[in-house]
Amino acid sequence: MRTRLCFLVPPVHKIFYVQRASFIMKRKAVNASPRKQPSKVPKSSICSYLSLQQKEEHSLSDIVKPAKENVNQNANMTQQTSQEDSETSSSTSEHSSSLVENPNPVCEEKLVECTFTNVTWQGNSRAPFRFLADAFETMEATTSRLALIKILTQVFRKIVNTTPDDLLPCVYLCTNTLGPAHEGLEFKAGEATVLNALSSATGNSVKVLKERLTKLGDIGDLAAECRTTQQTMFKPPSLTIHGVYQEFRTMANLAGKLSTKEREKHLQKLLVSASSKEAKYIARIVLGKLRIHIAYKTVIVALATVFAPCPKSDAKTTDGMDVILKEAAATLNAVYSQLPVWDRIIPVLIQNKSTEGLEEQCRLTPGVPVGPMLAKPVKEASDVLERFQECSFVCEYKYDGMRAQIHYLTDGNVKIFSRNAEDDTPKYPDIVESIKFALSKNNTVTSFIIDSEVVAYDPETNAMKSFQELQGRARKEVKIEDIKVPVCIFAFDILFLNGESLLKWSLKDRREKLFDTFSTIQGKFQFTTSKVFTDWEGVDEMMDEAIKAGCEGLMIKALTGEYSSYEPCNRSQNWLKMKKDYMNSIGDSLDLVPIGAYYGRGKRSGVFGAFLLACYNSETEEFQTVCKLGTGFSDEFLSSITKFYKDGHILAEPKPYYGVSDTPAIRPDVWFEPCQVWETRCADLTMSPSHTAAKGMLSEEDKGVALRFPRFIRIREDKPVDDATTADQIVELYCNQKSKM
Ligand SMILES: Nc1ncnc2c1ncn2[C@@H]1O[C@H](COP(=O)(O)OP(=O)(O)OP(=O)(O)O)[C@@H](O)[C@H]1O
């Protein structure tokens, strides 16, 4: 993917290395400064682990150093990270002539020591949580991606070698999740629950704890501090990885009036048994703020390293291993994007002792949402034609609604999943009904997965309604008779039919299958309006028609050939999106997170008048500022948003993971919790000394990127904050814009 990017935008290749260099510098700065590490942001979408090749392409051989070398490394790995980073590019050639050992412990059948801890255990007991807490502590102090992968690989390898049953809970705890996204199991505990539990476990009053928390700024540090001062009469039983995970699941499953109190008791029990370090990470996990800098992609690479197939003896060179590791990571990546359920994948890995055979055993399954394919923005005909010169392409209306992946299960059940794998079925009983009608003439269908956009629709005028209308629809346990905002499904793809995955089929064949399988029902179930093209003739007219019909623009997709398969979770050039509004601007809107606000004056006095917006840097896990936003708001919006933030989303201090410059004009009057994503449009992007977005990733290293003439469009309720526009995307938009000037 990166290669394609480099091809289209040559400077980006350089940017990547500038980025790495600046990252090393930043690492040094972090070591030198007392400023806290950026913390993990809440809830990752299932897409966030992708683009593996983008940044790890040249790094895998570094992980495959001989085990002995790993063991002898200085235990304080964190101090070495910047050096390791700078050595990375030469590591392949350094080792290419020597034989390397396979990192797969199952192949080599030997125990591998961990450099970050001396905690050990036997195969007949459970893995101690202390082991994981040691790993978390080391990872927290590490920002080098390679070092993080190494530590995590050691963690997984050690567990696979001793108590493989602990691998599944370990993976969930490392990703700060309790189960697959579509199960929707959440911790359901806020700061108050943790403070109450800490108070009961340590004897400190909640008031004292709160005051201390304001000083420390981190609930984990508070929990660790409390444990250090707490004396216990009897030594409580040690915590295990499995035990902690099970306790968390029990807490999450509690429901009803007394559940909050019950949850506190469970948490108290854990905290009483925890050491200082364990308490720190327990408190953080419960609040979804683990702060160990790992995303799904790190987990995938680490697991792939542990379960890479054994090399044939002639492939035991670093280069040979590099290929094996990349393939293993690609396999695991592909499997996870089709079946994002560790409970299904990890037992197969353990049983097969390899990633081999995984694709056959872990397949796309109706009932489990697939990571949706995403699109890249384009703004000119030449971009499209350059991409699709060898094949015909289809233009479809880009509807302004919400993504819906609709599954039909063999037991006749229908499930509807959002873009973030949330189960939206209770929200759309009308869609369930429409699907059954659309299928009614075809009794050969036993199961399917289709991709579609749900749009608010007026059945009387047969017109589409705005996205805002759709957002106004009730969300929970909706009854058909209560529905006030009818919707129409616009189906555009089919991924699975009657037990067979169609992902690898060409879009042309998938569309034929889609049209053959379903009957349309006006205003309830329709196919996207689409036309096939081989050149630009007629595309502009179609764009005008789409806008007139109330759509955002066009989606442009390859019909045949290598670019036409369905790529779960991938935002590639295989799908292009073109929005009329942006054709004269940067090509796309941005989804940004408000992290602060400025009090309004004059007409806006009494409400916030402007906001400080940030993009998300997934590498450093920081929110980096990109503009002050003061236009595009209605008076009602400003009143309601002011109320929303004042009702419990204002912070006393900026989060340690907010990247904000010292420019006084940028400092907001109040800081916000990062809890919303706002779609924002702008005229163009410019380098700025006042903003920090993508700072160090472009040629002017001391400047960030800023939006010029930003304008608020709407709140993106379907996006979690770590799904906001990333610093990488900002760089790409900036470079695309520059190359067109
Ligand atoms: N015909 C269509 N084909 C595919 N996606 C469509 C279509 N019509 C509307 N969409 C919507 O457009 C989105 C594709 O744009 P993109 O992949 O960039 O998602 P996004 O980040 O949510 O961006 P955007 O803000 O443009 O919706 C899809 O997620 C889907 O919800």
Side-chain angles (χ1 to χ4, degrees):
M1 223 171 101
R2 195 166 73 80
T3 335
R4 278 188 206 145
L5 186 68
C6 297
F7 172 72
L8 284 171
V9 194
V12 171
H13 188 69
K14 277 197 194 131
I15 292 160
F16 176 65
Y17 291 99
V18 173
Q19 180 189 358
R20 287 208 68 81
S22 76
F23 197 56
I24 295 162
M25 280 163 41
K26 190 179 281 173
R27 167 85 196 115
K28 284 180 182 152
V30 167
N31 278 341
S33 110
R35 193 169 160 264
K36 284 205 174 84
Q37 295 290 320
S39 87
K40 183 101 187 80
V41 293
K43 194 179 164 204
S44 275
S45 80
I46 61 172
C47 283
S48 61
Y49 69 91
L50 270 172
S51 322
L52 276 174
Q53 290 92 334
Q54 272 192 12
K55 283 172 194 161
E56 269 112 29
E57 257 174 21
H58 69 310
S59 68
L60 285 166
S61 59
D62 196 53
I63 309 162
V64 200
K65 282 181 183 164
K68 233 187 278 160
E69 208 176 304
N70 275 340
V71 172
N72 292 337
Q73 273 170 358
N74 185 337
N76 191 357
M77 193 179 273
T78 61
Q79 300 304 316
Q80 303 179 351
T81 52
S82 48
Q83 201 190 338
E84 281 167 10
D85 268 352
S86 55
E87 285 169 353
T88 306
S89 51
S90 62
S91 65
T92 307
S93 54
E94 263 173 39
H95 292 276
S96 56
S97 57
S98 62
L99 289 183
V100 285
E101 293 173 42
N102 192 298
N104 180 334
V106 192
C107 280
E108 301 291 329
E109 287 182 356
K110 66 173 172 276
L111 290 172
V112 182
E113 285 179 43
C114 295
T115 52
F116 57 86
T117 184
N118 50 17
V119 174
T120 52
W121 67 98
Q122 298 301 313
N124 56 0
S125 58
R126 282 285 186 179
F129 185 65
R130 237 166 358 114
F131 169 73
L132 208 50
D134 281 351
F136 288 167
E137 187 181 51
T138 313
M139 287 195 263
E140 188 186 349
T142 307
T143 48
S144 155
R145 191 132 209 89
L146 289 182
L148 286 166
I149 293 170
K150 275 184 189 171
I151 302 163
L152 203 58
T153 304
Q154 289 183 7
V155 170
F156 294 158
R157 187 189 282 152
K158 175 90 180 172
I159 288 183
V160 171
N161 267 328
T162 45
T163 49
D165 287 352
D166 289 327
L167 187 60
L168 183 63
C170 176
V171 167
Y172 278 125
L173 291 180
C174 288
T175 50
N176 209 159
T177 51
L178 293 172
H182 69 280
E183 281 184 6
L185 199 58
E186 290 183 349
F187 288 92
K188 293 193 209 123
E191 204 166 89
T193 307
V194 180
L195 288 175
N196 287 339
L198 263 180
S199 168
S200 320
T202 65
N204 292 299
S205 76
V206 171
K207 185 166 173 278
V208 167
L209 290 173
K210 264 192 189 160
E211 281 166 11
R212 197 65 198 131
L213 179 59
T214 313
K215 289 229 165 63
L216 292 171
D218 174 70
I219 196 89
D221 290 344
L222 176 72
E225 188 180 270
C226 291
R227 291 303 309 153
T228 319
T229 54
Q230 172 76 0
Q231 305 290 319
T232 44
M233 266 207 292
F234 304 104
K235 198 171 178 290
S238 308
L239 296 174
T240 63
I241 291 176
H242 177 261
V244 171
Y245 172 70
Q246 283 307 330
E247 202 68 43
F248 283 156
R249 278 191 70 97
T250 309
M251 285 164 60
N253 277 314
L254 290 168
K257 264 194 194 155
L258 300 175
S259 60
T260 309
K261 276 276 150 242
E262 277 297 301
R263 216 166 277 131
E264 275 172 25
K265 277 192 202 150
H266 282 276
L267 188 53
Q268 179 196 340
K269 195 171 106 190
L270 282 177
L271 290 169
V272 166
S273 302
S275 67
S276 182
K277 201 185 290 177
E278 289 172 322
K280 171 176 179 172
Y281 294 105
I282 286 172
R284 283 195 185 170
I285 291 174
V286 169
L287 292 188
K289 296 172 182 172
L290 188 50
R291 297 191 185 179
I292 57 167
H293 318 301
I294 63 158
Y296 280 102
K297 59 184 170 187
T298 320
V299 173
I300 299 248
V301 176
L303 277 175
T305 309
V306 172
F307 288 104
C310 303
K312 308 239 163 39
S313 53
D314 58 346
K316 269 189 158 189
T317 59
T318 301
D319 285 349
M321 281 310 303
D322 230 7
V323 172
I324 290 175
L325 288 177
K326 272 186 203 165
E327 281 174 6
T331 302
L332 191 52
N333 202 13
V335 167
Y336 187 79
S337 57
Q338 290 180 36
L339 187 74
V341 183
W342 289 124
D343 307 59
R344 297 273 296 276
I345 296 172
I346 285 177
V348 178
L349 283 174
I350 289 173
Q351 196 190 354
N352 294 0
K353 301 178 176 155
S354 167
T355 50
E356 273 175 338
L358 194 63
E359 273 166 316
E360 289 73 45
Q361 287 169 274
C362 296
R363 290 163 179 273
L364 200 61
T365 309
V368 179
V370 186
M373 184 162 172
L374 300 169
K376 287 234 175 192
V378 281
K379 52 179 188 164
E380 283 180 5
S382 58
D383 294 336
V384 178
L385 295 175
E386 187 184 328
R387 176 69 182 162
F388 296 142
Q389 52 188 297
E390 310 264 299
C391 59
S392 52
F393 56 90
V394 61
C395 290
E396 298 170 351
Y397 281 8
K398 186 178 190 307
Y399 295 89
D400 194 9
M402 289 210 195
R403 189 87 173 243
Q405 199 177 90
I406 306 177
H407 293 224
Y408 183 65
L409 282 58
T410 42
D411 61 6
N413 264 319
V414 174
K415 288 262 171 205
I416 301 148
F417 295 105
S418 75
R419 177 197 156 101
N420 296 318
E422 283 146 8
D423 186 353
D424 272 349
T425 319
K427 184 172 159 188
Y428 293 121
D430 42 347
I431 293 187
V432 173
E433 207 164 73
S434 302
I435 286 292
K436 291 189 172 163
F437 274 123
L439 270 184
S440 55
K441 285 192 208 129
N442 189 344
N443 58 11
T444 62
V445 177
T446 54
S447 58
F448 68 74
I449 302 176
I450 58 168
D451 206 349
S452 71
E453 188 83 346
V454 175
V455 183
Y457 197 88
D458 185 340
E460 280 168 22
T461 58
N462 272 332
M464 284 183 279
K465 290 171 121 184
S466 72
F467 176 79
Q468 280 73 14
E469 295 257 4
L470 184 65
Q471 271 192 322
R473 212 178 126 116
R475 281 147 212 260
K476 285 189 184 149
E477 304 309 330
V478 176
K479 293 204 182 88
I480 289 226
E481 55 275 22
D482 297 338
I483 291 174
K484 298 203 172 60
V485 183
V487 294
C488 180
I489 305 151
F490 289 92
F492 52 78
D493 217 321
I494 181 159
L495 321 186
F496 186 93
L497 183 66
N498 294 342
E500 188 184 359
S501 167
L502 311 185
L503 295 181
K504 297 246 158 66
W505 288 28
S506 71
L507 178 57
K508 183 170 179 284
D509 293 343
R510 296 201 306 278
R511 275 162 53 92
E512 277 167 17
K513 254 304 171 237
L514 180 72
F515 302 151
D516 285 352
T517 307
F518 297 91
S519 321
T520 57
I521 316 163
Q522 176 67 36
K524 287 189 185 294
F525 183 96
Q526 294 177 210
F527 300 123
T528 50
T529 301
S530 62
K531 269 186 212 158
V532 174
F533 295 91
T534 47
D535 58 29
W536 200 251
E537 185 79 47
V539 177
D540 287 327
E541 288 73 30
M542 186 171 174
M543 173 66 100
D544 291 338
E545 286 159 22
I547 301 299
K548 259 190 225 140
C551 293
E552 285 185 300
L554 296 178
M555 296 290 294
I556 307 169
K557 305 171 182 175
L559 257 191
T560 51
E562 59 170 323
Y563 302 134
S564 68
S565 60
Y566 190 98
E567 296 183 0
C569 245
N570 206 2
R571 188 187 291 278
S572 74
Q573 311 266 351
N574 298 2
W575 278 17
L576 303 175
K577 57 177 172 177
M578 196 169 195
K579 302 185 191 177
K580 182 81 177 177
D581 292 354
Y582 313 151
M583 283 169 75
N584 297 323
S585 70
I586 60 163
D588 198 10
S589 53
L590 293 101
D591 295 321
L592 303 170
V593 178
I595 59 166
Y598 310 84
Y599 293 123
R601 295 202 206 114
K603 215 176 123 223
R604 289 187 177 173
S605 62
V607 294
F608 295 133
F611 301 85
L612 181 61
L613 264 59
C615 69
Y616 181 54
N617 186 325
S618 50
E619 188 86 30
T620 60
E621 296 186 312
E622 271 182 315
F623 288 101
Q624 301 181 318
T625 72
V626 69
C627 69
K628 267 168 91 169
L629 177 69
T631 46
F633 308 117
S634 65
D635 292 347
E636 297 74 48
F637 176 82
L638 286 178
S639 302
S640 67
I641 207 72
T642 303
K643 183 168 181 321
F644 169 80
Y645 277 105
K646 284 190 171 171
D647 284 353
H649 301 288
I650 303 269
L651 301 171
E653 297 282 334
K655 294 278 187 190
Y657 49 86
Y658 285 178
V660 185
S661 76
D662 293 331
T663 311
I666 293 294
R667 307 300 289 187
D669 297 322
V670 293
W671 294 100
F672 287 169
E673 279 277 356
C675 52
Q676 288 198 342
V677 176
W678 291 5
E679 185 176 351
T680 308
R681 201 182 293 166
C682 68
D684 55 27
L685 298 168
T686 179
M687 297 300 295
S688 156
S690 308
H691 287 286
T692 55
K695 191 169 174 180
M697 294 166 72
L698 286 155
S699 49
E700 292 185 69
E701 281 211 30
D702 53 340
K703 291 187 179 167
V705 175
L707 268 54
R708 286 205 327 133
F709 306 117
R711 186 174 177 77
F712 172 79
I713 309 295
R714 63 186 177 198
I715 298 178
R716 288 292 305 252
E717 292 192 357
D718 56 333
K719 283 198 171 181
V721 290
D722 56 351
D723 212 4
T725 299
T726 61
D728 285 345
Q729 285 174 299
I730 298 248
V731 167
E732 208 176 320
L733 287 167
Y734 179 82
C735 291
N736 271 335
Q737 160 196 278
K738 281 205 90 176
S739 66
K740 299 277 152 53
M741 277 176 177

